[in-house]
Amino acid sequence: MPNVVVVGTQWGDEGKGRVVDLIAEKVDLVVRYQGGNNAGHTIVTNGKSIVLHHLPSGILRDDKVSLIGNGVVIDPKILLEEIEALKKSGYSVSPDNLIISDKVHVIMPYHKMIDISRENLAGNNKIGTTGRGIGPVYEDKYGRRGIKLSDLVNPDTFSKRLKTVLNERNLYLTKVLGSGPVDFDEVYNEYTQYGKELKPYMGDVSKILFDSINSDKDILFEGAQGTLLDIDFGTYPYVTSSNAGSGGVCVGTGVAPKSIDYVVGVTKAYTTRVGEGPFPSEETGEIEQRLREEGGEYGATTGRSRRCGWLDVVALKYAIRVNGISAFALTKLDVLSGFDTVKICTAYKCNGSLINEFPGSTEVLENCKPVYEEMDGWSEELTDIKDFDELPENAKKFILRVEELTGVPTWLVSIGPSREMYFELRELYS
Ligand code: GDP
Ligand code: IMO
Ligand code: MG
């Protein structure tokens, strides 16, 4: 059976959690491979909305094993709170169904302080981060001064590493950023306790996945953020600090490329973005307002208003290329009900020329204006629809046009936030 990656094809919040929750039913293991609690993945089941920041979206299904791969960064306090909150809501979370790689890097208090101070200092040039310490923790990982979960559970190693790191980080915090310092004892004691609580969950994720693949188990790799926020392929520097695209799976979990069979691209029927950075098909005024209100476009992590605009096929084709998208999960089609016309951005006008390729340079993208195809809209609500044939004609045309423009088939159409509000156009993996 295939192993599948679920990635966001836009700037995040495409509905990955909702789609992962659906596919999770068909697989044995669900694995996060990058990002941290900058992610907010929403699943609505039995009228209750659950937002997961750290835990894979398979955790809501009792018979699945959830894993957090080495490419993820964890804020142990938030992770432990998330585990407790789920248990209180009646979900089972234990070392039997949750395994966290011993190699994950730990978000420390100074990472959050650095993230927030830098954003404040940058003023108009800020990235608009979630303030969760994501950039600084990955920076320390690649700068070889990070603290891993395996360090937290080893008091001597943790003490040595923290002392060395704090010597330098406290200088940076106090002399450069004008905040801190961070007290060694306080952090050491608090994080040693977190280490104790997380130790039972710690494991060798790569080995578990290897063994699972060899015994024909099915694996779902859950992306966080979106392709256009990927550190390498996103709209740098307005990106996150990890490889959100499907390429992140191997390095973020320790599986071989040959083990990945299928890539689902979760694509919102329009586009949103949180934080700063270019967004060619962004709308302002009434249309943005309407998309935001109808789509509930407020951040699942920070509560910030999401910027909204029309579907951008130039960016989508780029996401298809860099991820190897096999099929779409098209989400939030219901939100487009009631617009007289709906638009699809099919090219950009940039410094007088027409371009069809997503530009590599963010400065070029900043000067791109969208070229639209405008289609007639539909007024019917879609939420109860169970089959493609039941859709209003213009909604059908919208889906078919996206497939035609991109050459990628649609597997699933989501027409509401609840688990059951979707229909399939074809079988997954077909
Ligand atoms: P993620 O980060 O990609 O998992 O997405 P988020 O959870 O941050 O944002 C998606 C939001 O849209 C959540 O509030 C979902 O409950 C909601 N949602 C997902 N699919 C649909 C859909 O098809 N229609 C509507 N109306 N809402 C949806
Ligand atoms: P999910 O998984 C939307 C954005 C932030 C900011 C940039 C960098 O829910 O789709 P960071 O804190 O990562 O350094 O912020 O990335 N961002 C997201 N936007 N959805 C997310 O996650 C995001 N995670 C980070 O708003 O622009
Ligand atoms: Mg989200």
Side-chain angles (χ1 to χ4, degrees):
M1 276 293 284
N3 297 319
V4 57
V5 186
V6 174
V7 289
T9 61
Q10 295 153 320
W11 278 286
D13 303 326
E14 298 90 348
K16 296 176 293 295
R18 183 260 187 290
V19 171
V20 169
D21 170 64
L22 285 178
I23 306 179
E25 201 182 5
K26 307 175 201 277
V27 302
D28 302 295
L29 305 98
V30 181
V31 198
R32 276 275 308 265
Y33 59 89
Q34 45 69 235
N37 58 320
N38 47 349
H41 295 180
T42 315
I43 297 145
V44 181
T45 162
N46 298 325
K48 225 180 132 194
S49 172
I50 295 168
V51 182
L52 299 170
H53 300 289
H54 269 314
L55 295 171
S57 301
I59 199 79
L60 304 189
R61 298 192 185 263
D62 279 357
D63 54 337
K64 311 299 171 187
V65 177
S66 293
L67 301 103
I68 297 182
N70 57 280
V72 174
V73 289
I74 59 159
D75 185 324
K77 180 171 190 279
I78 305 295
L79 174 55
L80 286 161
E81 282 171 4
E82 204 169 306
I83 292 172
E84 275 322 298
L86 274 191
K87 282 188 187 167
K88 274 206 186 104
S89 303
Y91 292 96
S92 59
V93 187
S94 76
D96 290 335
N97 69 340
L98 174 65
I99 297 133
I100 306 167
S101 167
D102 52 354
K103 292 180 166 55
V104 292
H105 277 249
V106 179
I107 302 170
M108 303 297 289
Y110 46 88
H111 292 135
K112 283 178 273 189
M113 290 164 76
I114 293 170
D115 191 0
I116 293 164
S117 302
R118 276 194 194 141
E119 286 283 275
N120 288 339
L121 279 177
N124 285 342
N125 294 321
K126 67 176 193 236
I127 308 284
T129 72
T130 59
R132 302 300 193 258
I134 303 297
V137 69
Y138 278 111
E139 215 175 292
D140 277 0
K141 171 176 174 172
Y142 289 100
R144 294 163 293 178
R145 52 173 180 260
I147 290 175
K148 298 201 267 183
L149 182 56
S150 57
D151 300 329
L152 270 202
V153 303
N154 183 334
D156 288 343
T157 314
F158 181 37
S159 168
K160 243 188 262 164
R161 289 190 67 79
L162 184 64
K163 264 192 196 125
T164 316
V165 175
L166 273 191
N167 276 344
E168 193 206 47
R169 295 281 91 175
N170 271 341
L171 272 179
Y172 181 60
L173 276 168
T174 51
K175 305 266 189 239
V176 179
L177 298 178
S179 64
V182 171
D183 181 67
F184 172 85
D185 288 329
E186 230 172 80
V187 176
Y188 178 77
N189 292 332
E190 185 182 344
Y191 281 69
T192 302
Q193 181 55 32
Y194 297 144
K196 279 188 189 144
E197 291 176 52
L198 288 173
K199 194 173 178 181
Y201 294 98
M202 210 173 80
D204 186 341
V205 167
S206 167
K207 172 84 167 72
I208 294 167
L209 294 176
F210 183 77
D211 292 342
S212 303
I213 291 166
N214 285 338
S215 50
D216 271 342
K217 297 248 171 74
D218 299 329
I219 304 170
L220 189 170
F221 299 94
E222 174 176 359
Q225 289 78 53
T227 308
L228 304 178
L229 289 172
D230 184 288
I231 184 75
D232 284 289
F233 296 107
T235 48
Y236 195 92
Y238 303 101
V239 291
T240 191
S241 295
S242 63
N243 285 116
S246 62
V249 168
C250 295
V251 287
T253 62
V255 300
K258 67 178 182 185
S259 303
I260 297 166
D261 306 290
Y262 202 85
V263 184
V264 170
V266 185
T267 304
K268 209 181 278 198
Y270 50 98
T271 311
T272 61
R273 168 161 213 173
V274 199
E276 309 303 315
F279 177 179
S281 66
E282 181 171 16
E283 281 288 324
T284 51
E286 203 194 315
I287 288 174
E288 179 186 38
Q289 198 72 20
R290 212 160 130 195
L291 287 170
R292 184 179 300 134
E293 292 315 315
E294 296 296 321
E297 297 297 352
Y298 296 92
T301 295
T302 57
R304 289 178 291 176
S305 290
R306 293 174 182 154
R307 298 156 64 192
C308 300
W310 297 111
L311 182 66
D312 181 344
V313 163
V314 184
L316 189 53
K317 285 199 285 196
Y318 172 71
I320 291 164
R321 166 157 62 86
V322 299
N323 290 299
I325 303 288
S326 318
F328 293 130
L330 184 69
T331 61
K332 304 191 97 160
L333 187 67
D334 54 301
V335 175
L336 294 186
S337 288
F339 283 93
D340 291 337
T341 59
V342 290
K343 291 186 189 174
I344 300 176
C345 169
T346 52
Y348 298 145
K349 201 75 186 271
C350 191
N351 300 326
S353 355
L354 201 64
I355 57 172
N356 296 299
E357 287 285 334
F358 194 71
S361 145
T362 297
E363 289 67 38
V364 174
L365 189 66
E366 271 162 357
N367 290 313
C368 285
K369 301 275 171 265
V371 177
Y372 285 121
E373 245 182 57
E374 194 159 1
M375 306 175 73
D376 287 337
W378 58 92
S379 55
E380 298 88 334
E381 295 211 348
L382 306 185
T383 302
D384 293 325
I385 284 177
K386 283 281 151 235
D387 193 83
F388 180 78
D389 294 335
E390 291 174 28
L391 278 177
E393 283 310 309
N394 289 338
K396 283 184 198 166
K397 281 186 190 157
F398 180 83
I399 296 171
L400 295 175
R401 186 65 184 136
V402 174
E403 289 189 335
E404 189 176 39
L405 287 166
T406 58
V408 169
T410 305
W411 152 58
L412 171 135
V413 178
S414 174
I415 41 174
S418 291
R419 225 176 222 179
E420 69 286 356
M421 294 175 174
Y422 74 94
F423 59 86
E424 287 169 305
L425 265 71
R426 44 180 63 77
E427 276 187 28
L428 184 62
Y429 311 132
S430 65

